[in-house]
Amino acid sequence: MQKYAKELLGALRSVIDSPVCELDYNNTFELLVAVILSAQCTDKRVNMVTPELFAKYPTVQDLAMADASEVERIIRPCGTFRIKAKNIINASKMIVNEMQGVVPQDMDKLTSLPGVGRKTASVVLAVGYNIPAMPVDTHILRVANRLGIVSSDDPKVVEDKLKEVFDKKDWIELHHLILLFGRYHCKAIGYRCEGCKLQHLCNYKGKSK
């Protein structure tokens, strides 16, 4: 499996030029908020909304005291805006009141925040703090299954398998590589396998021609 992992990593690198997070943010708190907003929403849409949000509420303290209706107005294009506004404000309050105003570098503490699941927490750890983690979103779930790395719809099972197969030092880069490959190449629909540099590594029975 080590040989396969090395070959797959090389193939992904040849396809994805810039394996980085596509959310815009200036600090770890902004990243946390952006990832919360990205649930069932595109990064492009989130990036259109966050400039106004962070201009009006530049600090975690500001968002902790924010008016919910105003936050809802700003983030409405991201969908499920009432729930997201409530979670963002309550998470901000917890960070201010219980975490000295600092986004924690700990999975358990992060997932104790409203609106923060394991995937969101993993993004904060990996992208915000450069701590090895393997966030699993719909793109990574789909690609990992198509490639035959794992056969499961459970994000935790996929996360554990990817961590098992690939070296810890590569987790953060791999997360970006697989996510972007799924977002722009191996899409849920409208994908084309012809000419794909990963075709020889792929076990997907629904390959297109």
Side-chain angles (χ1 to χ4, degrees):
M1 204 65 174
Q2 279 188 329
K3 182 180 178 181
Y4 173 82
K6 184 177 181 180
E7 190 174 359
L8 178 58
L9 195 59
L12 285 166
R13 285 169 175 161
S14 73
V15 176
I16 306 299
D17 294 329
S18 182
V20 296
C21 178
E22 293 189 316
L23 289 169
D24 295 335
Y25 64 96
N26 295 303
N27 53 59
T28 309
F29 176 68
E30 288 189 2
L31 173 64
L32 172 66
V33 173
V35 180
I36 292 173
L37 290 173
S38 71
Q40 288 82 52
C41 182
T42 65
D43 287 3
K44 183 178 180 180
R45 176 68 65 182
V46 173
N47 290 339
M48 294 170 64
V49 164
T50 49
E52 181 181 358
L53 181 68
F54 296 140
K56 190 172 183 65
Y57 306 105
T59 69
V60 61
Q61 290 82 5
D62 293 322
L63 261 174
M65 297 183 293
D67 177 72
S69 61
E70 181 62 8
V71 174
E72 289 175 4
R73 179 191 67 78
I74 296 171
I75 70 171
R76 189 184 186 97
C78 293
T80 59
F81 58 93
R82 291 190 178 88
I83 295 173
K84 289 178 180 178
K86 181 180 178 180
N87 285 337
I88 289 169
I89 292 171
N90 287 337
S92 300
K93 288 178 180 178
M94 278 189 67
I95 292 171
V96 170
N97 296 329
E98 302 177 25
M99 301 170 183
Q100 293 74 52
V102 179
V103 177
Q105 302 183 38
D106 176 87
M107 176 64 75
D108 290 337
K109 289 182 179 179
L110 281 167
T111 53
S112 73
L113 296 170
V116 178
R118 187 171 183 86
K119 190 268 287 188
T120 297
S122 294
V123 173
V124 172
L125 292 175
V127 179
Y129 289 120
N130 200 36
I131 295 172
M134 182 54 65
V136 175
D137 70 347
T138 55
H139 298 299
I140 293 177
L141 192 73
R142 179 176 68 255
V143 172
N145 274 275
R146 283 183 177 176
L147 289 173
I149 298 172
V150 66
S151 179
S152 176
D153 292 326
D154 185 334
K156 184 63 168 62
V157 172
V158 175
E159 175 189 342
D160 291 342
K161 187 63 178 180
L162 288 170
K163 286 180 174 180
E164 174 191 325
V165 172
F166 294 89
D167 289 340
K168 190 173 184 178
K169 64 180 178 59
D170 296 322
W171 289 354
I172 297 175
E173 180 191 14
L174 181 70
H175 155 70
H176 293 308
L177 288 169
I178 298 180
L179 187 156
L180 295 172
F181 179 70
R183 180 176 291 169
Y184 297 112
H185 300 276
C186 193
K187 301 177 183 180
I189 56 174
Y191 59 91
R192 290 191 63 81
C193 300
E194 184 179 0
C196 176
K197 293 183 179 180
L198 275 68
Q199 192 172 31
H200 64 295
L201 301 169
C202 181
N203 296 320
Y204 185 44
K205 293 181 180 179
K207 285 182 181 180
S208 69
K209 296 182 179 180

